Amino acid sequence: MKKKVITKLNINKATKKQNKYTFKNTVKGNFNSIVYDASKEIVKKLDKGYSPVFIYGKTGSGKTHFLKTIENEIKAKNPRKKVKYIPCVDFVQEFVNGIRDSKANKFKNKYRSFDVLLIDDIDILNGKQQTQEEIINMFNDIYTKDKLIVFSSNLSQNRLSRYIDKRLMSRFSWGLTLELKQLNYSDRIQILKNHLRNLGKRNAIDEKVIEYIAKNKKSDIRELEGAINKVLLYIRITKQKNYANDIKRILK
């Protein structure tokens, strides 16, 4: 009986995490409105030749969120499509393992079989010439078959071109290039409130505390969500209702 309960809880937890990555649960603000609208259009019209898509922005700006959202939305609307999201570090490791284990062809066939391929954080390809070569060849095959390939990067194409093969860089420019911009105060407020809604804690934190976090945590989305998590944990442990005056100490 216990095993069934644990399994159910794990499934529910995994489902909630995946449900975070949908357009419905994604904030649309000044910093990401173009990426948001373009991503919806890409999902809606897979056959319109938007590939390749290159999304870039600073760490914590929401790149992974959008790639996983595109993945989930395509799977929901096109269940027969083969869709794969993978961090670039995992892609590189799998490629290296394939060569080491004499399974390079198996690796190549696997990744060429996907209708949609999303590779996150391609910055780590710096210095990995053999993997870059494989991506170029794979890209050519995917592109000629009108499949969708999406890349994300912490760096703009201009900055990335200092480290990445020129042939690969030229291919990025064939499709859409989308930038996630710096968060402003309004964006941060939206993100904080959206995170609370996604956690099912819409009214759990005072408005003044939310405003304080938005004014003092400016670097990225992860930092904002982490601040909310800290406050919620503090409230749960201490059971205090008057915690606003301790907010500086809580967030240290």
Side-chain angles (χ1 to χ4, degrees):
M1 186 68 178
K2 287 184 178 179
K3 287 184 178 179
K4 289 183 179 179
V5 173
I6 291 170
T7 301
K8 187 175 181 180
L9 287 172
N10 288 339
I11 291 171
N12 288 341
K13 187 175 180 181
T15 300
K16 284 182 179 180
K17 190 173 182 180
Q18 281 301 99
N19 286 344
K20 174 183 177 181
Y21 301 114
T22 63
F23 290 125
K24 181 180 178 181
N25 291 327
T26 299
V27 166
K28 181 181 177 181
N30 295 313
F31 74 107
N32 71 351
S33 60
I34 293 175
V35 180
Y36 184 98
D37 289 339
S39 296
K40 290 191 78 171
E41 184 72 8
I42 290 162
V43 170
K44 186 178 178 182
K45 300 177 180 177
L46 276 178
D47 59 344
K48 294 301 180 182
Y50 292 117
S51 188
V53 179
F54 182 91
I55 300 174
Y56 73 97
K58 293 181 179 180
T59 299
S61 60
K63 298 182 298 297
T64 297
H65 185 102
F66 271 104
L67 263 64
K68 288 187 175 181
T69 296
I70 292 171
E71 175 197 21
N72 286 343
E73 294 283 356
I74 291 176
K75 284 180 176 179
K77 290 177 172 60
N78 303 274
R80 293 186 179 181
K81 294 287 187 184
K82 293 183 68 177
V83 184
K84 176 69 174 179
Y85 162 86
I86 187 168
C88 195
V89 64
D90 293 343
F91 180 90
V92 171
Q93 190 58 56
E94 192 174 339
F95 175 65
V96 171
N97 291 343
I99 294 174
R100 183 195 63 202
D101 300 335
S102 300
K103 294 180 179 178
N105 286 334
K106 183 178 179 180
F107 172 88
K108 292 176 182 180
N109 292 334
K110 172 184 173 181
Y111 281 94
R112 283 161 174 75
S113 72
F114 294 115
D115 299 301
V116 179
L117 180 60
L118 307 107
I119 303 180
D120 201 3
D121 287 332
I122 60 164
D123 314 54
I124 67 113
L125 288 177
N126 181 18
K128 298 175 176 62
Q129 188 58 44
Q130 198 170 3
T131 308
Q132 290 184 41
E133 192 72 38
E134 170 55 27
I135 289 181
I136 291 169
N137 294 331
M138 179 186 69
F139 181 100
N140 292 341
D141 190 60
I142 291 174
Y143 186 80
T144 56
K145 293 178 180 176
D146 293 325
K147 296 180 177 182
L148 176 65
I149 185 165
V150 182
F151 300 96
S152 82
S153 170
N154 290 329
L155 304 176
S156 66
Q157 290 185 28
N158 184 47
R159 292 181 62 194
L160 194 63
S161 64
R162 304 171 194 172
Y163 316 107
I164 302 297
D165 191 300
K166 290 180 180 179
R167 293 171 297 160
L168 184 54
M169 291 305 307
S170 71
R171 283 159 175 77
F172 292 151
S173 65
W174 292 357
L176 286 179
T177 297
L178 306 168
E179 179 186 7
L180 287 163
K181 298 180 180 179
Q182 188 171 350
L183 304 174
N184 63 26
Y185 177 74
S186 175
D187 293 327
R188 295 193 291 273
I189 290 288
Q190 285 190 73
I191 288 164
L192 291 167
K193 290 185 175 181
N194 187 65
H195 185 53
L196 284 167
R197 280 194 298 271
N198 288 340
L199 293 173
K201 303 283 186 180
R202 184 189 295 264
N203 300 312
I205 295 180
D206 292 344
E207 188 72 23
K208 288 184 179 180
V209 172
I210 291 173
E211 291 173 359
Y212 177 88
I213 294 171
K215 288 176 182 176
N216 291 277
K217 300 290 181 181
K218 301 179 180 181
S219 63
D220 58 56
I221 295 171
R222 292 192 193 105
E223 185 184 28
L224 291 169
E225 292 181 345
I228 288 291
N229 295 340
K230 277 186 178 181
V231 176
L232 289 174
L233 180 62
Y234 180 85
I235 295 170
R236 188 166 75 243
I237 291 173
T238 64
K239 310 295 183 185
Q240 288 188 25
K241 294 183 178 179
N242 299 318
Y243 58 87
N245 292 332
D246 296 326
I247 193 65
K248 288 184 181 180
R249 180 170 58 82
I250 296 169
L251 296 177
K252 279 186 179 180

